[in-house]
Amino acid sequence: MGHTIRVRLSQAAQTAALLAGEPARDVDRTIPTGFPELDALLAAGGLPRAGTVALRGNGSSGATTLALRTVAEAQAGGALVAWVDLARSLDPVEAAARGVRLEWLAVLVPG
């Protein structure tokens, strides 16, 4: 059985995705995921920059890898990124291996 990753976008992000429906990726409104095949499937050529993206997937589905690569791509484009670590499971070694600049990542952990 295949793995599934669900991507949930905020209302602002959904609107941005609809507005950016051109075939070419709009670098000002999207962030590449780090996976060109996935970016090609997304209407805007990546995930919307102006919004919140929630990734959900079963264990070993690749959701964390997708999230880390997207964070690295966003950072490479000059974006400020916050990681909400509800499960307290962010592995800094894995994040760095995926290209995340830890010194520029705001990690939020519940109290």
Side-chain angles (χ1 to χ4, degrees), residues 3-96:
H3 296 289
T4 301
I5 299 174
R6 292 188 184 126
V7 178
R8 187 172 139 214
L9 305 174
S10 69
Q11 185 61 41
Q14 290 174 15
T15 302
L18 291 174
L19 293 174
E22 307 108 32
R25 188 171 87 76
D26 185 343
V27 296
D28 292 332
R29 293 189 274 177
T30 60
I31 298 170
T33 63
F35 297 94
E37 297 84 5
L38 177 58
D39 292 339
L41 293 173
L42 297 169
L47 296 174
R49 181 178 292 274
T52 302
V53 176
L55 298 173
R56 292 178 44 185
N58 296 333
S60 299
S61 66
T64 301
T65 298
L66 174 58
L68 291 173
R69 285 298 307 135
T70 303
V71 166
E73 292 288 335
Q75 288 179 328
L80 300 173
V81 181
W83 182 278
V84 181
D85 192 8
L86 299 176
R88 298 175 185 241
S89 61
L90 177 64
D91 179 355
V93 174
E94 179 68 17

Side-chain angles (χ1 to χ4, degrees), residues 12 24 54 95 101:
R101 294 185 58 199

